[in-house]
Each structure stands twice: as C-alpha cells, then as structure tokens.
Amino acid sequence: MADEELEALRQRRLGEIRAEHGVRDPSADPSQQEAKQREAEIRNTILAQVLDQAARARLSNLALVKPDKAKAVENYLIQMARFGQLAGKVSEQGLIEILEKVSQQTEKKTTVKFNRRKVLDSDEEDDY
C-alpha cells in the first residue's frame, strides 16, 4: 500500500472509533479553534506588555522544558496585570523571583519510608 492510502485508512478508522465512543474531533469545530487562537493572542499581547525581552526569552525557554510551570507563571503574571499590581515591565530578575514563588507553592514533598521485613533465618543461631 502507498503511504497516502495507509494514512487515509488510519484516519477513516480513527473517525469510526471516535464515532463509536462519542468522541468529537476537536479539529472539526473551527469556532473552538478560533476561540483558542484568540485567547492565545490575547495572552501573548498581555505578556508582551508586561515582560521585557529578556524575561520573555526566559519564559519561552521555561515553556519548552516545563510547560505546566510556564503556564502557571503566565497565569500569575496576567492576573497581576489585570489587577494593576505590576508597576512597569517585569525584568528578568523579577521573573526569576516570581518563578521562585511559584516553585515554592508547587513544591512536592517526597518522603521515603522503608518497611524492613523481619526474616526469621534458622542459620543465625549456627553462626555463634
């Protein structure tokens, strides 16, 4: 089979599976895509107004490595901008401080607990 035919079969089968399970294709609704695109544009314009170039570069690098943390920082910055808590543009150092705050809030405490099993070994008595 040619690659085009194989891809067409895959897409048709995927559509059948989605139809059976009632899952809608997110790319089928252009109004949702437009809404998401508008929201992304609004976010980018707000962040462009709030951050200087070095801070934007750091945030975009963070988004590549840790998208969840970058999204949280973006939401935090947008919220601060909407409530007027930011005076001027945030520098790279200011962004680093915000990153530290977000990291402290989302820090996970991990604990390791060892359960040692007590094994009765009959050879222990023979060693003495």
Side-chain angles (χ1 to χ4, degrees):
M1 277 190 189
D3 289 336
E4 297 85 21
E5 292 175 9
L6 185 61
E7 186 62 30
L9 285 173
R10 284 183 181 153
Q11 291 299 324
R12 191 177 73 221
R13 181 66 181 139
L14 183 62
E16 291 172 1
I17 292 172
R18 285 186 175 154
E20 287 175 9
H21 295 289
V23 177
R24 293 186 55 198
D25 188 9
S27 62
D29 194 4
S31 64
Q32 283 184 343
Q33 283 182 339
E34 290 175 13
K36 285 182 182 180
Q37 188 174 10
R38 271 187 265 123
E39 181 183 335
E41 289 175 11
I42 291 171
R43 290 176 69 87
N44 286 334
T45 56
I46 291 173
L47 291 173
Q49 292 171 357
V50 170
L51 298 172
D52 66 358
Q53 286 295 340
R56 293 252 325 159
R58 183 175 286 271
L59 187 60
S60 64
N61 288 340
L62 178 68
L64 293 174
V65 179
K66 295 184 178 180
D68 296 336
K69 186 178 276 192
K71 196 68 135 174
V73 171
E74 287 175 0
N75 290 337
Y76 183 71
L77 286 168
I78 290 171
Q79 181 182 10
M80 287 178 67
R82 285 189 176 155
F83 291 122
Q85 297 175 344
L86 295 176
K89 288 193 171 196
V90 176
S91 65
E92 186 175 9
Q93 190 60 38
L95 182 66
I96 291 172
E97 292 172 6
I98 291 172
L99 284 169
E100 289 173 354
K101 279 185 192 175
V102 170
S103 293
Q104 287 174 356
Q105 291 173 353
T106 60
E107 190 175 288
K108 295 180 181 176
K109 301 280 183 177
T110 57
T111 57
V112 178
K113 184 177 179 181
F114 291 100
N115 289 329
R116 299 183 189 251
R117 296 181 183 165
K118 295 185 179 185
V119 179
L120 297 176
D121 192 8
S122 62
D123 292 342
E124 288 180 7
E125 297 170 0
D126 297 337
D127 290 340
Y128 294 109

